[in-house]
Amino acid sequence: HRLGTTSAVVADDAGSLVRRLHAELLAARDLSVVDAFFAPDFVSHTNPPELPEGVEGVRRFFAMFRDAMPDVEVTIDELIVDGDRAAVATTIRGTHTGELLGLAATGRRVEVAGVDMVRVRDGRIVEHRGLTDTVGLLRQIGGVA
């Protein structure tokens, strides 16, 4: 029974951390907030090739959306927690008013789906796998037919 209690605390921590990440990171508009959520030894197994590894890659990923869509907001569509891991499906929404993925601002309202799986240790994310629907995004801003 004691293990169940410990597991619930860890699960709550992973879920709470993911909820806070999505509520606070883009809202803060300050990329130094990334350090509060991601461990220094953070690894992403699905890092986009144009971004650096580790925490700096996370900063640049969020900066890309923050700078391209000043009104960006993230909705958690589904969150599943299992021990020290969390899986989250999100929708990013905003108005494309800055360069994004090499394309000039269109002024269009866009929605981008994403799915991420993270592992948490000591209150910070240490591992990530995920996909963002960049093809769907490019279709919305005119980059793909």
Side-chain angles (χ1 to χ4, degrees):
H1 189 252
R2 176 170 235 148
L3 278 176
T5 304
T6 302
S7 180
V9 170
V10 171
D12 185 50
D13 286 351
S16 296
L17 183 69
V18 169
R19 281 187 190 90
R20 281 190 20 248
L21 168 70
H22 288 80
E24 296 174 19
L25 187 58
L26 286 170
R29 317 256 335 133
D30 175 3
L31 295 178
S32 67
V33 172
V34 166
D35 295 323
F37 292 98
F38 293 85
D41 59 344
F42 166 77
V43 173
S44 178
H45 299 286
T46 51
N47 202 45
E50 66 276 7
L51 295 179
E53 297 291 323
V55 177
E56 184 56 28
V58 175
R59 272 192 206 90
R60 292 208 194 157
F61 179 81
F62 282 106
M64 176 175 63
F65 282 98
R66 178 202 63 188
D67 295 347
M69 298 186 285
D71 61 347
V72 67
E73 54 187 50
V74 180
T75 302
I76 294 177
D77 302 314
E78 190 168 355
L79 176 63
I80 301 168
V81 179
D82 184 11
D84 63 348
R85 297 175 190 272
V88 61
T90 57
T91 302
I92 299 170
R93 292 178 182 85
T95 308
H96 179 219
T97 59
E99 183 181 313
L100 183 59
L101 301 174
L103 296 171
T106 62
R108 293 181 184 154
R109 188 92 177 129
V110 298
E111 286 191 9
V112 185
V115 176
D116 297 284
M117 296 180 356
V118 299
R119 185 170 60 86
V120 174
R121 182 185 69 228
D122 298 327
R124 291 200 278 179
I125 298 168
V126 292
E127 191 175 9
H128 166 265
R129 284 179 175 77
L131 295 170
T132 301
D133 183 13
T134 52
V135 171
L137 173 60
L138 287 168
R139 284 191 175 124
Q140 294 174 68
I141 61 177
V144 173

